[in-house]
Amino acid sequence: MTRSKRKWDHIEYALSTGQTRMTGFDDITFVHQSLPNIALSDVKLDVKIGELFLSSPIFINAMTGGGGEKTLQINRDLSIAAHETKIAMAVGSQMSALKDPIERDTYRIVRKENPNGIVIGNLGSEATVDQAKAAVDMIEANALQIHLNTVQELTMPEGDRDFTGALKRIETLVEQLNIPIIVKEVGFGMSMETVKQLASVGVSIVDVGGFGGTNFAKIENERRARLLSYFNDWGIPTAVSIIEAKEQHPHLSIIGSGGIQTSLDMVKSLALGSTAVGLAGYFLKILLKDGLTKLIEEINETKTDLTMMMTALGAKNISELHQVPLIISKDTYHWLNERGIN
Ligand code: FNR
């Protein structure tokens, strides 16, 4: 199978397998406050993750690039949406473009359409320092995501089978690159043990990429003759993963992602301890089903919704949102109890 066919399959299956809504956010309830003592105009959405300043905590998470005209069009539209709404955007894995120069324009378009925006590069943990620097240069990236996707690779017939040495390579990248490195999962979540390992080598931003949204085990299983169905329900729900990461390292910048669809999901993700929220599958679906104008509208409405909910909660900014009281129930409560997190 060609790389470009695989990329298009991922997009089609991401839309058709849908999002499972098993993120754990339904187990989180805010405690309503009747005297928030705040005006809507007091609420500020800007945040700092690591050394990156974002005007809004919402961003478009890594999806595509490479693969030709269709992915070029998707990246062009996503970057126009990012530019118009002033949110950050990550590109999909750039490894194929490092190997094949013809693919580079499908990534460069993201910087072309959004010259002054925050653009984030993306590679897997197999990347060398030279590859990472080339990926950053390709799009003048403000930060670089390194994705961890063991279960996806295992489910992919042509995927990697050797996962040794990833932490050491990440450590070298953190030392050698002069922009922030964000280590991310792709929908299987990060445990507190993983976060501890990453923090021990100097990683200061993690994107938990939790379970409950786009499901790459299901997507890859669609492309297999013999199904590895045991991976279909594998992973740490996003809400749990944010809490585990926070528990491990209160000063780490945490990005909440994986199955985030509504502005309520976003506010819950932020209140649990994340500083930014990434959306991939949901934004892609709006773009491909309803078009660019609708995507821009949706992002702008989401920002308004965040401001409304933060006002109701009496939180003037994301730091104050981290402090609001909430109730954790059902499976998420049970999980945290088992893991000794109170
Ligand atoms: C992705 N994702 C992804 N992640 C990554 O680090 N590099 C990549 O190249 C891709 N490619 C990709 C393609 C498509 C079509 C989708 C939908 C997603 C994973 C993505 O960034 C995110 O971690 C997961 O999709 C979970 O978030 P959502 O989709 O549930 O919001």
Side-chain angles (χ1 to χ4, degrees):
M1 170 166 315
T2 63
R3 271 199 310 259
S4 95
K5 166 89 172 83
R6 186 170 82 217
K7 290 194 174 182
W8 191 247
D9 280 355
H10 279 168
I11 290 167
E12 293 210 304
Y13 290 135
L15 297 187
S16 66
T17 53
Q19 301 231 336
T20 49
R21 291 293 298 161
M22 290 168 73
T23 52
F25 287 124
D26 291 345
D27 296 348
I28 312 296
T29 313
F30 289 116
V31 181
H32 170 65
Q33 304 297 330
S34 308
L35 291 168
N37 196 30
I38 184 179
L40 193 79
S41 57
D42 292 336
V43 175
K44 301 281 176 287
L45 293 180
D46 57 318
V47 284
K48 188 170 172 251
I49 30 171
E51 300 129 55
L52 283 185
F53 287 94
L54 307 183
S55 63
S56 150
I58 310 158
F59 74 99
I60 302 172
N61 218 342
M63 280 183 277
T64 196
E69 190 51 40
K70 285 192 211 164
T71 43
L72 179 95
Q73 187 58 47
I74 290 175
N75 268 353
R76 176 185 289 129
D77 285 350
L78 290 174
S79 53
I80 293 171
H83 177 71
E84 292 284 315
T85 60
K86 299 187 173 50
I87 65 171
M89 170 183 171
V91 297
S93 176
Q94 294 167 266
M95 191 54 91
S96 61
L98 292 177
K99 295 179 177 158
D100 183 354
I102 289 177
E103 298 206 346
R104 286 181 199 162
D105 285 349
T106 63
Y107 294 90
R108 287 194 177 124
I109 187 84
V110 167
R111 180 49 86 195
K112 209 168 136 196
E113 293 291 348
N114 193 9
N116 303 314
I118 301 282
V119 173
I120 305 170
N122 186 290
L123 285 174
S125 60
E126 72 280 13
T128 63
V129 170
D130 285 347
Q131 286 171 329
K133 286 182 175 166
V136 169
D137 288 347
M138 192 188 299
I139 54 170
E140 297 164 51
N142 304 91
L144 180 68
Q145 290 180 329
I146 298 294
H147 64 256
L148 304 176
N149 66 341
T150 313
V151 175
Q152 181 188 5
E153 293 290 344
L154 287 171
T155 318
M156 229 192 285
E158 70 278 32
D160 289 344
R161 295 293 180 261
D162 180 357
F163 304 99
T164 52
L167 190 63
K168 184 75 205 154
R169 285 190 296 278
I170 289 171
E171 179 174 24
T172 312
L173 293 177
V174 171
E175 281 166 9
Q176 301 284 321
L177 267 78
N178 55 8
I179 56 168
I181 301 284
I182 301 168
V183 180
K184 79 182 278 279
E185 252 289 352
V186 301
F188 301 95
M190 266 188 212
S191 66
M192 55 181 163
E193 292 81 1
T194 301
V195 171
K196 186 175 183 185
Q197 287 174 292
L198 292 170
S200 78
V201 300
V203 172
S204 59
I205 312 175
V206 295
D207 176 339
V208 300
F211 179 79
T214 302
N215 183 330
F216 268 97
K218 278 195 181 156
I219 292 172
E220 299 298 350
N221 266 325
E222 292 279 339
R223 304 166 54 234
R224 289 185 68 95
R226 183 178 163 266
L227 302 189
L228 308 188
S229 48
Y230 41 83
F231 281 141
N232 281 349
D233 298 316
W234 192 284
I236 306 172
T238 302
V240 168
S241 196
I242 295 168
I243 300 168
E244 289 224 358
K246 184 80 189 165
E247 172 72 12
Q248 187 52 52
H249 254 271
H251 302 302
L252 202 74
S253 290
I254 298 164
I255 296 174
S257 79
I260 291 180
Q261 296 190 34
T262 67
S263 32
L264 183 56
D265 291 342
M266 294 178 203
V267 179
K268 287 180 178 178
S269 164
L270 295 165
L272 290 176
S274 68
T275 311
V277 282
L279 287 84
Y282 182 67
F283 281 161
L284 183 68
K285 189 169 164 191
I286 296 177
L287 176 65
L288 295 185
K289 296 220 152 113
D290 305 317
L292 175 59
T293 309
K294 179 74 190 151
L295 178 60
I296 293 171
E297 233 174 74
E298 174 86 15
I299 296 171
N300 283 330
E301 280 168 10
T302 295
K303 286 195 211 167
T304 308
D305 292 343
L306 290 192
T307 311
M308 297 288 268
M309 281 184 272
M310 286 171 67
T311 304
L313 291 165
K316 290 193 201 71
N317 52 48
I318 306 301
S319 300
E320 289 188 12
L321 187 54
H322 288 160
Q323 309 301 325
V324 304
L326 44 79
I327 302 296
I328 302 175
S329 60
K330 296 184 244 168
D331 288 352
T332 304
Y333 173 79
H334 182 67
W335 177 301
L336 298 175
N337 212 26
E338 287 285 305
R339 297 278 278 164
I341 303 172
N342 296 308

